[in-house]
Amino acid sequence: KTYLGRPDTDDYRRMGMGILGSALHMMERNEEALPVLEANLALRRRFWSRDEKHILIAQSRLANCLVGLGRRDEALALERVIYDRRATILGVSHKRTIMTGSNLAATLVDLRLWDEAKTFLHDQLPAARRSLGSDHDLTLNLNQNLAGCLHNPESTRDDLLE
């Protein structure tokens, strides 16, 4: 709480809020983390609007917190924005973009948006295999999401054969 007396533009305040929000989320204290992460994102947008890399990180932390709170629809909307920005800035084969895509795919699967998840994962996997390799954790995670997507209560025989 010592960062609260500092000006909004203070680096220690900004870093302290980010660390506090992340720590609360990691301890599954998401209700407490949410306002801290929202305030941190608002500060970044207000005073460091050109630092898109760190704004995307703050948005990712907020999306993860929303998932932890069960607010998956809100998280999905934010994850779509994050993925689009990362793909535009870094390209679809960059490790951070692939990680963001993995989070997006997991949320799509959690929300039972099977067709969208399947299409998205079929686009993601070739880029992950090319840039990271077939045995990389992120590539395997994308494969696991695809398997979950294909093996669902609404799967057809053709889905299961895929």
Side-chain angles (χ1 to χ4, degrees), residues 109 112 114-115 146-156 159-160:
V109 171
R112 299 175 178 262
W114 313 120
D115 290 336
L146 180 60
C149 177
L150 295 175
H151 185 29
N152 69 72
E154 300 165 20
S155 294
T156 65
D159 289 335
L160 295 173

Side-chain angles (χ1 to χ4, degrees), residues 52-125:
E52 192 153 17
K53 174 184 172 185
H54 288 98
I55 288 173
L56 289 170
I57 291 170
Q59 287 176 313
S60 294
R61 290 177 179 160
L62 180 57
N64 290 336
C65 183
L66 291 168
V67 168
L69 289 168
R71 294 167 55 179
R72 286 178 170 75
D73 289 326
E74 293 171 71
L76 178 61
L78 192 50
E79 287 171 354
R80 288 180 201 273
V81 169
I82 298 164
Y83 179 80
D84 287 342
R85 290 304 304 147
R86 285 204 195 281
T88 299
I89 295 167
L90 302 172
V92 294
S93 296
H94 192 278
K95 186 177 179 180
R96 281 202 179 268
T97 306
I98 295 168
M99 187 181 330
T100 303
S102 179
N103 291 341
L104 174 55
T107 303
L108 289 168
V109 171
D110 285 347
L111 290 171
R112 299 175 178 262
L113 299 172
W114 313 120
D115 290 336
E116 185 177 353
K118 180 179 166 184
T119 301
F120 181 73
L121 286 162
H122 277 297
D123 291 341
Q124 287 296 125
L125 276 164

